[in-house]
Amino acid sequence: MIMISDPKNNKPRQAQTGAFLELAFRPFFLLASLFSILSLLLWNGFFTGDVTLHVYGGPLWWHMHEMLFGFVAAIIIGFLLTAVQTWTKIRSLNSTGLLLLVAVWMIARGLFLLPNSVPHWLIALLDIAFLPLATAALAYPIIKARLWRNLIFIPILLLMSIANISMHSKVVTPLEPFIDNSSTLMVLLVTLVMSIMGGRVFPMFTANGTQTARVEPIAYLEKVVIGSTLLALISSLPFIKLPSTLSAAIFFIASAAHAVRVFRWKIWVTIKTPLVWSLHISYWCIALGLFIYGLSEVSTMVNHSQAIHTLTVGAMATMILSMISRVSLGHTGRKIEVGRIMTFGLIAIILCFVIRVFLGYFLSDYRYVISIAVGFWVIGYGCFVTLYFPILSKPRQA
């Protein structure tokens, strides 16, 4: 079971290390959310022609890389380095060690904006180092406690590191398909992580949040969900070339499996609980994104970008915003409920997804689509940064 809560025997350390560096969720949730806002505003300015953007790898490469390996990867590391303390009852990375890891992540983000002042190899080295360093910090307590079941995240994070290396190789070798394959690999790796974590905790969150009976998993369905998602991921690897119809079939099967799984969790009982219905919607976007991906292989009705943004904005961004809102409350000793402002933020990020993926059918000028979508993202994550800054920067409540 993936549980993200603060072991009681670790509370006294908070005063010694300082609240902000007490656990990884604090700096990574707050800084990554703020970074997502700033980077999307820059990207929108470039896309509309209002900003001249000189960045390492070029604007398109930078946008794709930073939303995946800058924003999403930092959130994942914040989750895992927080959860591992609960799994193992061993103190996870904190204080100076956590500060150094955060510094590596932040310096890399800054150096991307200085491509003419810093050697490219140094920029790449610092950025690539983040995930392996975080993986080592995650692996240590798992191995020490011999919790082999949770080692599944280690190869996933290492594959993410390989995908990052692949993306950086695009900067020195002009192979355009390589960037697409590498970023797609990362998207599907994160989708796999969401599938694993969602299956383990969403039924519990639903039962606890709605005071209804917990939906128990069906063993064979769980195997089909993870197996088909893994197969979809493998089929996207750059050295595997499948016929379009076969590739589409794999994604359709994965989509159907996820749809059956999330339907069983009964979204209709969550209407009054924003931190639960938002998770359900994000998981429905996994099923929808995989379906659109398969359809894009055999039809011109939709395209690859729509599939990717359904998985990234619809599934990842919505799930992340909901989860970090929940985890931040629970880990700081607060009641796990959000008010109207954060509920509005969750609605805003869902609208961001709908606009980014579907408004292009109705607006001919795509600059407006991007600008409106970015606006709703800023509202959604802006609500989190504003409301949760004092929560994440102050000591845990008694």
Side-chain angles (χ1 to χ4, degrees), residues 249-261:
I250 292 171
F251 278 88
F252 288 151
I253 292 170
S255 171
H258 280 283
V260 172
R261 188 194 212 189

Side-chain angles (χ1 to χ4, degrees), residues 207-376:
N208 293 345
T210 63
Q211 300 302 305
T212 57
R214 178 173 176 170
V215 176
E216 295 299 327
I218 300 174
Y220 74 84
L221 176 60
E222 297 301 300
K223 292 178 182 178
V224 173
V225 166
I226 302 303
S228 61
T229 305
L230 184 59
L231 191 58
L233 187 156
I234 293 171
S235 72
S236 72
L237 294 173
F239 50 83
I240 294 180
K241 303 295 182 183
L242 296 179
S244 296
T245 52
L246 178 56
S247 178
I250 292 171
F251 278 88
F252 288 151
I253 292 170
S255 171
H258 280 283
V260 172
R261 188 194 212 189
V262 68
F263 180 79
R264 294 186 67 249
W265 296 342
K266 302 176 183 178
I267 189 174
W268 52 88
V269 305
T270 72
I271 302 303
K272 296 181 180 180
T273 316
L275 286 178
V276 182
W277 58 248
S278 54
L279 290 176
H280 280 247
I281 290 175
S282 71
Y283 202 95
W284 272 107
C285 285
I286 294 179
L288 179 61
L290 293 172
F291 176 80
I292 295 175
Y293 195 113
L295 190 60
S296 71
E297 293 286 301
V298 293
S299 170
T300 58
M301 293 174 57
V302 293
N303 55 51
H304 182 78
S305 177
Q306 288 175 291
I308 293 299
H309 283 92
T310 300
L311 291 172
T312 53
V313 184
M316 293 179 204
T318 304
M319 190 178 295
I320 285 172
L321 188 57
S322 182
M323 286 292 286
I324 63 179
S325 299
R326 181 189 190 93
V327 170
S328 298
L329 293 174
H331 264 286
T332 56
R334 291 166 171 82
K335 191 174 183 180
I336 303 178
E337 289 182 359
V338 292
R340 293 181 179 179
I341 294 177
M342 201 60 234
T343 299
F344 179 66
L346 291 167
I347 294 171
I349 204 66
I350 293 168
L351 289 174
C352 173
F353 146 65
V354 174
I355 289 164
R356 179 61 184 83
V357 174
F358 298 111
L359 190 60
Y361 288 123
F362 307 99
L363 280 182
S364 57
D365 192 335
Y366 209 66
R367 292 175 298 177
Y368 291 120
V369 175
I370 298 299
S371 295
I372 298 171
V374 168
F376 277 106

Side-chain angles (χ1 to χ4, degrees), residues 44-66:
N44 183 64
F46 167 79
F47 199 85
T48 58
D50 296 327
V51 174
T52 301
L53 196 58
H54 296 292
V55 289
Y56 171 91
L60 177 58
W61 185 98
W62 175 81
H63 169 64
M64 296 170 66
H65 180 276
E66 290 300 82

Side-chain angles (χ1 to χ4, degrees), residues 125-250:
L125 181 63
L126 276 171
D127 179 65
I128 290 170
F130 172 69
L131 279 172
L133 289 173
T135 303
L138 178 68
Y140 173 75
I142 292 176
I143 294 172
K144 186 174 181 179
R146 299 187 178 185
L147 292 179
W148 309 123
R149 181 175 183 239
N150 290 318
L151 273 178
I152 186 174
F153 294 105
I154 305 305
I156 291 176
L157 290 177
L158 292 176
L159 284 173
M160 289 181 180
S161 300
I162 293 172
N164 194 16
I165 293 170
S166 297
M167 282 205 73
H168 278 283
S169 71
K170 171 62 178 67
V171 178
V172 295
T173 55
L175 300 175
E176 190 64 32
F178 208 35
I179 181 176
D180 292 334
N181 287 330
S182 301
S183 57
T184 299
L185 174 60
M186 179 61 174
V187 169
L188 293 176
L189 281 168
V190 176
T191 301
L192 179 62
V193 171
M194 292 190 296
S195 302
I196 295 170
M197 296 185 71
R200 292 185 182 183
V201 303
F202 286 10
M204 176 185 66
F205 289 167
T206 301
N208 293 345
T210 63
Q211 300 302 305
T212 57
R214 178 173 176 170
V215 176
E216 295 299 327
I218 300 174
Y220 74 84
L221 176 60
E222 297 301 300
K223 292 178 182 178
V224 173
V225 166
I226 302 303
S228 61
T229 305
L230 184 59
L231 191 58
L233 187 156
I234 293 171
S235 72
S236 72
L237 294 173
F239 50 83
I240 294 180
K241 303 295 182 183
L242 296 179
S244 296
T245 52
L246 178 56
S247 178
I250 292 171

